[in-house]
């Protein structure tokens, strides 16, 4: 997980996110990956797609899907767990979730101002 977090943070910073927004995006990705491992079959496939001014992370698992009673709403203070999707949506505005009985795919995207450093002649 540490390697994934470092790679996501670096890509977000290169895309032009502020350090605070890069950290928030990294926390959101971390939460999705942990949920995929814990609830989606014990493993997660993470794809990081950096681009100029944007980063997309796709997390796939092979679990049985997200149960219908799990929603991205904040549960009551007395409820154990169930805050993952809510937290992810607070930290990252562009989140899509596709779930079925053969797995779940969560895609998180963020945009910034690309880090355009002029190349220096040799």
């Amino acid at each position: 997980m540490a390697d994934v977090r470092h790679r996501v943070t670096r890509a977000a910073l290169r895309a032009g996110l502020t350090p605070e927004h890069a950290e928030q995006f990294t926390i959101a990705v971390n939460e999705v990956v942990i949920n995929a491992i814990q609830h989606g079959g014990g493993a997660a496939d993470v794809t990081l797609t950096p681009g100029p001014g944007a980063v997309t992370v796709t997390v796939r698992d092979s679990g049985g899907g997200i149960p219908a009673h799990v929603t991205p709403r904040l549960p009551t203070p007395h409820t154990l767990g169930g805050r993952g999707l809510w937290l992810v949506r607070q930290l990252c505005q562009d989140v899509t979730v596709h779930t079925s009985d053969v797995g779940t795919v969560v895609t998180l995207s963020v945009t910034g101002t690309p880090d355009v450093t002029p190349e220096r002649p040799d």
Side-chain angles (χ1 to χ4, degrees):
M1 276 306 303
D3 182 53
V4 170
R5 286 191 302 270
H6 292 301
R7 291 176 60 201
V8 169
T9 300
R10 281 193 307 265
L13 290 171
R14 278 194 296 269
L17 272 70
T18 65
E20 179 182 356
H21 286 118
E23 181 178 350
Q24 290 174 348
F25 183 66
T26 301
I27 291 169
V29 170
N30 186 73
E31 184 66 30
V32 170
V33 173
I34 288 171
N35 281 350
I37 292 169
Q38 288 180 340
H39 305 291
D45 178 39
V46 180
T47 304
L48 172 67
T49 309
V55 179
T56 300
V57 176
T58 303
V59 181
R60 290 178 173 81
D61 69 46
S62 58
I66 299 173
H69 72 275
V70 176
T71 66
R73 286 180 270 154
L74 182 62
T76 66
H78 303 292
T79 304
L80 293 176
R83 289 165 179 76
L85 285 176
W86 176 83
L87 177 64
V88 167
R89 292 195 186 277
Q90 301 309 301
L91 296 172
C92 183
Q93 289 183 330
D94 192 4
V95 179
T96 59
V97 179
H98 298 283
T99 191
S100 72
D101 59 354
V102 294
T104 299
V105 178
V106 179
T107 304
L108 304 95
S109 298
V110 67
T111 58
T113 305
D115 179 15
V116 181
T117 305
E119 292 184 30
R120 290 194 260 171
D122 291 331

